[in-house]
Amino acid sequence: MNKRGLGGGLLGQGRGSNVASMLEALAVTPGGGGEQLREVPLRAIARSPYQPRTAMDPARLAELAVSMAGPAGVLQPVLLRPLPGGRYELLAGERRLEAAKLAKLRSIPARVREVDDLE
């Protein structure tokens, strides 16, 4: 019986290890419904009032920030929903957002999804 997984993900598919190639590989055509993947400036992202996380381990956050500042960058995008005025609300990825700020990144890869408060 084969105990291996399905594959190595994006990085195992010969697409390279940088964020630009990841964004290209995952891009959803605008207007096609569903999510869009893009680089979003950190200053345009607001925390959700529904965020259940209240505390983060500073050592683990610093470790994640160092990783994000390295050559691999941010490996998993955050999930956002658009707000009026070109801003976004964070739906998932609170630790990644805080680590990106700590790493002094200007933007972060994000999936943008149209959802309402109930969703």
Side-chain angles (χ1 to χ4, degrees), residues 74-106:
V74 180
L75 297 178
Q76 183 177 357
V78 296
L79 180 61
L80 308 173
R81 73 174 179 167
L83 295 174
R87 298 204 32 93
Y88 299 89
E89 181 178 39
L90 183 68
L91 300 176
E94 183 75 16
R95 283 186 64 244
R96 280 170 276 156
L97 179 63
E98 292 305 313
K101 290 176 184 178
L102 190 60
K104 301 202 183 313
L105 301 181
R106 292 182 180 193

